[in-house]
Amino acid sequence: MLVLLPPSEGKASSGRGAPLKPESLSLPGLAAAREAVLGELVDLCAGDEEKAREVLGLSEGLRGEVAKNAALRTAGARPAGEIYTGVLYDALDLDSLDAAAKRRAARSLLVFSGLWGAVRVTDRIPSYRCSMGVRLPGLGALGTHWRGPMAEVLPAVAGAGLVLDLRSAAYAAAWKPKGEVAGRTATVRVLHAPTRKVVSHFNKATKGRMVRSLLAAGIAPAGPAELVEALRELGYEVEAEAPAKAGQAWALDVLVTEVH
């Protein structure tokens, strides 16, 4: 099972660990594309602060993020699972999983990123600010920048099992599973059961809890149909729609009665 996650806008501080070693990151096929983004981002943020803030879409209150980006090559690095915070990651609560579940998380979770492309939760990275929606002056739109490298690398990473896609639209645009990989991919919406409306902010909490449930139970469904059954056994109310034709992903709706 491969679980595709969005990053979080807010991130923990880098701390005092050893600095980034780009060559140590997972998915080495993305190395050149990562260096291109890292190089331009550091240069941008080490120069005109106002221009960097405009490019990155940062408010006045987030001005300090520019200096953080300028120091990415020397800042301390921590496992990505500790750097990413926010609603989904709070609900996932990787740190409190037992040892076996943490090993499953290390194998299964892949976090998409405007800066790194995609990383494992065990990859050591510094705290940064660079969403997939950013358009750098040289490289252009990051979503477009990542499509080629992702298309080359991700099909092999997906292996032969389930791909559970929990990314937001901006990050999903960087890689869209195709062909037989799409046929074993499941996307998820969270709906408020009484109103059938899409849950906005707290859909992240539900997705985090759902992934945590699978990891803690040691369940790795072989495909979307098996995922539906597994989630139902774990107590989730799930409606599923199989693709109308080959080469399309499954669409799953997880229904919740309380929005929290």
Side-chain angles (χ1 to χ4, degrees), residues 44-106:
L44 172 70
C45 292
D48 185 330
E49 184 179 270
E50 289 305 316
K51 179 180 179 181
R53 197 158 65 87
E54 180 182 352
V55 169
L56 297 174
L58 300 177
S59 67
E60 175 65 32
L62 293 173
R63 181 180 292 274
E65 300 293 288
V66 175
K68 179 193 292 186
N69 283 348
L72 282 172
R73 294 192 187 275
T74 56
R78 296 167 58 185
E82 297 177 14
I83 290 290
Y84 293 116
T85 58
V87 175
L88 188 153
Y89 292 91
D90 285 348
L92 179 53
D93 196 7
L94 289 169
D95 189 55
S96 69
L97 291 171
D98 64 32
K102 286 179 179 177
R103 289 193 294 271
R104 290 189 282 271

Side-chain angles (χ1 to χ4, degrees), residues 1-35:
M1 178 176 68
L2 181 68
V3 182
L4 311 181
L5 297 175
S8 57
E9 286 296 321
K11 298 173 183 68
S13 64
S14 294
R16 297 183 179 180
L20 170 72
K21 295 182 179 179
E23 69 277 7
S24 72
L25 297 178
S26 302
L27 284 62
L30 299 178
R34 285 173 177 149
E35 180 56 36

Side-chain angles (χ1 to χ4, degrees), residues 1-3 107-109 158 161-164 211 214-215 219-221 227:
M1 178 176 68
L2 181 68
V3 182
R107 293 192 303 267
S108 301
L109 305 186
L162 169 71
V163 178
L164 175 54
V211 175
L214 291 169
L215 294 172
I219 299 173
L227 172 65

Side-chain angles (χ1 to χ4, degrees), residues 151-171:
E152 293 182 6
V153 172
L154 266 294
V157 176
L162 169 71
V163 178
L164 175 54
D165 190 352
L166 303 179
R167 298 171 296 167
S168 55
Y171 292 90

